[in-house]
Amino acid sequence: MSMLRRLRIGQWLPIFALAVISASCTSLAPQPIHPEASPAPATRATIHLGPQELADGRFIGLAFSGGGSRAAVFGAAVMKELDRVGLLPQVDVLSAVSGGALPAAAYALEGYRDFSFQNGFAERIGRDFQRAMLGPWYAVPQNALRYALTDSIPPEQVIQVLDDRLFRGATFADLNPSKPILLMNATNALTGEPFIISDEAFQSLHRPLAPFSIARAVYMSAAYPGVLEPLAIPYGRADGDPLQQAPLLAYDGGAADNLGIRTLIQVVNDALSAQSMSDLFPRGCLVISIDATGRLTNEPRKPLSAAAALLRGHRRNVLELVGIPAAQQDVTPFGAFQVGSNGGGGTCNFWHIALRQLPDSDPLGARVTGIKTNLGLSTEDQASLVEAAARLVAQGRESMARTASWAGLIASPPALFSKP
């Protein structure tokens, strides 16, 4: 939700550009729907862990918050730090919302065309799409007139430009099988329920996920209600007969959880529904949250917007769920929470890497938490986010060494910070 917050018609240009960094597609035409003669091919977007994820006896999930290009660049920078200490290659599942879906999806597409985590990854995520695309697009008179008369922006123009400039035709079939499972989070606009973009969710729509555009999925995760129109996904066919059912409408995943943490909890609990923690994850469970939430400021006596208040409340509740009390959520980086049930559960550790852990009294903290939610970040802002990522990951590792419940993990490198 934070990706496009507090937009009014006269302010939509920077936010529209941000939507461009988080959505794309090569064709404006709706994708065809065909009867399914055989089961749809599986993709790397599934809520079920397989042999690849279970092989090392531990679960590591990485959650990316929303927050526009601030979240995208910070997410990419934290990934670089986690890779440097040997942790990123051990991640099993990526769960992303809104702007955080950009680095998550790009990493999961490793090897597609020129997608490379080791070469140009940060530069790709940090591009100034606003400058590149808004000038020629908005200069078309009919476009300017059309959006001067409406309160929301339809998806196809956004998707088209982003696919041309970022994802370049990638679909879920192009996800790298050696990379983590990719789960992007949206919201069912008709029910308000979370919609995890996955094989399982698309099966309920009688559609295969494999040919679905990555850019469309990112748009679904990022489409802020009232600003970007929900994306309609028609139902497919069941037993060769068209389903007489209204399309699913999906928008911003931040409506339920702008941190992407709940989806990882669901994945772990799903796995533990059949086997015990000691059997599946004898080497432990870890959820890492990359939280790019900024500091909201409002004038004295001026109420926060309802959207801002909801975001604050959701963040507070989710972090309490994983073991960080409200008063400590911008201070302590660690928590723990229970997963599983019926005697077969256990404890999962939680590492919170959050911009707001850098105080306003720190010039770096004041800068990065004040970066606006839009697309075109300056070179200086990007450099500050990279510095913040390095500092926060280093601080987290130092704190682990002083914390009893983490000391065993970092004292035994194979357990966490090196490849199995």
Side-chain angles (χ1 to χ4, degrees):
M1 286 181 71
S2 62
M3 186 175 188
L4 298 170
R5 123 179 121 239
R6 293 187 295 181
L7 178 71
R8 293 182 176 87
I9 258 321
Q11 302 171 286
W12 67 267
L13 289 179
I15 303 301
F16 178 60
L18 175 56
V20 172
I21 195 172
S22 40
S24 56
C25 183
T26 54
S27 174
L28 296 180
Q31 297 175 354
I33 302 169
H34 302 289
E36 296 180 32
S38 59
T43 74
R44 289 295 289 162
T46 173
I47 62 172
H48 299 306
L49 302 179
Q52 179 175 324
E53 291 75 44
L54 300 174
D56 61 1
R58 90 177 145 255
F59 175 82
I60 300 180
L62 185 58
F64 298 76
S65 81
S69 52
R70 183 182 66 248
V73 172
F74 183 58
V78 171
M79 292 175 79
K80 285 292 186 181
E81 292 301 314
L82 296 179
D83 185 60
R84 187 178 60 80
V85 300
L87 182 55
L88 186 63
Q90 302 180 64
V91 170
D92 299 301
V93 182
L94 309 172
S95 172
V97 183
S98 196
L102 296 174
Y107 182 66
L109 286 167
E110 176 80 13
Y112 172 77
R113 295 197 175 186
D114 61 348
F115 279 65
S116 171
F117 183 71
Q118 300 300 335
N119 183 21
F121 182 78
E123 291 77 11
R124 178 185 294 273
I125 299 303
R127 289 173 179 169
D128 187 349
F129 291 82
Q130 179 173 320
R131 184 184 302 274
M133 104 50 169
L134 278 185
W137 184 89
Y138 191 65
V140 178
Q142 57 265 37
N143 288 341
L145 176 61
R146 180 178 183 183
Y147 297 113
L149 300 175
T150 184
D151 289 333
S152 60
I153 304 167
E156 296 302 339
Q157 287 85 347
V158 179
I159 294 171
Q160 177 74 66
V161 174
L162 279 165
D163 207 37
D164 291 344
R165 296 183 178 272
L166 184 60
F167 291 114
R168 300 170 60 191
T171 70
F172 280 85
D174 296 310
L175 295 177
N176 189 323
S178 69
K179 291 301 179 184
I181 289 170
L182 173 67
L183 296 174
M184 290 183 276
N185 299 283
T187 300
N188 185 326
L190 299 176
T191 66
E193 294 296 317
F195 185 85
I196 303 171
I197 303 170
S198 61
D199 288 331
E200 294 78 15
F202 269 59
Q203 184 178 9
S204 70
L205 301 174
H206 302 281
R207 294 186 59 125
L209 180 60
F212 195 74
S213 161
I214 293 289
R216 283 183 177 271
V218 177
Y219 179 94
M220 288 168 63
S221 182
Y224 187 78
V227 179
L228 293 178
E229 293 179 4
L231 185 67
I233 307 177
Y235 279 72
R237 299 172 183 262
D239 301 323
D241 295 324
L243 292 180
Q244 302 300 318
Q245 192 165 352
L248 173 88
L249 295 179
Y251 57 43
D252 191 350
D257 174 13
N258 201 43
L259 299 181
I261 293 170
R262 290 184 184 273
T263 293
L264 295 177
I265 296 174
Q266 179 178 335
V267 168
V268 174
N269 285 332
D270 177 81
L272 294 177
S273 65
Q275 289 184 264
S276 70
M277 183 85 164
S278 59
D279 289 336
L280 279 187
F281 308 127
R283 297 175 67 194
C285 169
L286 171 63
V287 168
I288 305 170
S289 169
I290 304 176
D291 182 359
T293 305
R295 284 195 179 88
L296 297 177
T297 58
N298 56 299
E299 299 173 8
R301 300 181 180 273
K302 182 178 180 180
L304 289 172
S305 69
L310 284 171
L311 282 171
R312 284 188 176 186
H314 287 326
R315 180 177 184 267
R316 179 177 61 250
N317 293 341
V318 170
L319 291 176
E320 286 181 333
L321 179 66
V322 292
I324 302 183
Q328 297 295 312
Q329 288 175 359
D330 293 338
V331 180
T332 182
F334 304 125
F337 59 99
Q338 293 299 303
V339 289
S341 59
N342 301 324
T347 299
C348 192
N349 288 318
F350 179 70
W351 182 10
H352 188 210
I353 305 172
L355 288 178
R356 285 170 56 165
Q357 290 165 0
L358 298 172
D360 269 339
S361 57
D362 178 343
L364 179 63
R367 176 167 190 139
V368 295
T369 57
I371 295 173
K372 300 299 183 183
T373 304
N374 56 35
L375 177 57
L377 290 187
S378 68
T379 301
E380 292 76 15
D381 281 344
Q382 292 190 51
S384 294
L385 289 166
V386 170
E387 182 183 351
R391 185 182 300 183
L392 288 165
V393 171
Q395 289 177 355
R397 294 192 66 204
E398 291 170 3
S399 296
M400 288 175 189
R402 301 191 299 268
T403 304
S405 61
W406 289 83
L409 289 174
I410 65 169
S412 177
L416 185 58
F417 285 113
S418 66
K419 297 180 181 179

